[in-house]
Amino acid sequence: AEGSSAEPLQLALAELKGQNGWPAQETCYSTLLKLLQNVVDKPEEPKFRSIKATNATIKAKVLDCAGARAFLLAAGFAEDGDLLTLPSGDDAAQANCGAALAALKSHANDCSDAYFREVRDAKITQAKADEAKLNEFGGFSRGLHNLRSSSSGKDAEAAASQPSPLPPPPPPAS
């Protein structure tokens, strides 16, 4: 049973990743992790084996994300009216839920790492672009004020290319 559920799990996780932005993914992953962890920790508790699909929080955080319902179904939950339920006393379903939890943890960590690498890379790219602009103005000490104060590079470039007027010399002492 575990091998047959791996493909639907992976397809559902790929859909979750591909169809939802990171903020929605992060919320969905954390909620799914909690739901599955509760089932794995306390398999005898009926309240953890049943998810009310009409619950506003569950709907907003999980079921509105593309791929989340398919993930829960692949994890062993079955649709029963407005409920998603995991059969009780079924060791295969319990093992499947545990495998789904492990797969979700790994997937969520990979997605989180990828997102934060993307953010870091964007910051590095922006810093390099800022540094290149500063170098056009003669480097950090000469160009930082021009970079921040100019709305367009042309104004700052023109100001940087003209020598600044010197104050008149002081009158001779008599």
Side-chain angles (χ1 to χ4, degrees), residues 47-166:
K47 69 179 180 180
F48 294 138
R49 302 178 76 80
S50 178
I51 301 169
K52 193 171 185 179
T54 56
N55 178 301
T57 301
I58 294 295
K59 187 170 177 354
K61 291 183 176 184
V62 177
L63 298 176
D64 284 350
C65 290
R69 183 180 297 268
F71 176 81
L72 286 168
L73 294 174
F77 284 83
E79 292 187 274
D80 181 18
D82 67 344
L83 296 176
L84 292 165
T85 58
L86 190 67
S88 61
D90 184 349
D91 290 340
Q94 185 67 26
N96 197 30
C97 190
L101 177 62
L104 180 61
K105 282 180 182 177
S106 175
H107 178 80
N109 285 336
D110 290 348
C111 290
S112 174
D113 290 348
Y115 172 75
F116 288 112
R117 272 193 301 277
E118 186 179 311
V119 168
R120 179 203 62 206
D121 292 349
K123 287 180 181 178
I124 289 170
T125 300
Q126 183 61 49
K128 285 182 179 180
D130 289 348
E131 184 177 353
K133 285 182 183 178
L134 286 174
N135 287 337
E136 290 175 13
F137 300 131
F140 181 79
S141 62
R142 292 184 171 179
L144 186 61
H145 63 285
N146 289 330
L147 182 64
R148 295 217 170 121
S149 65
S150 74
S151 58
S152 72
K154 293 178 183 174
D155 297 337
E157 218 171 278
S161 67
Q162 296 180 0
S164 60
L166 297 174

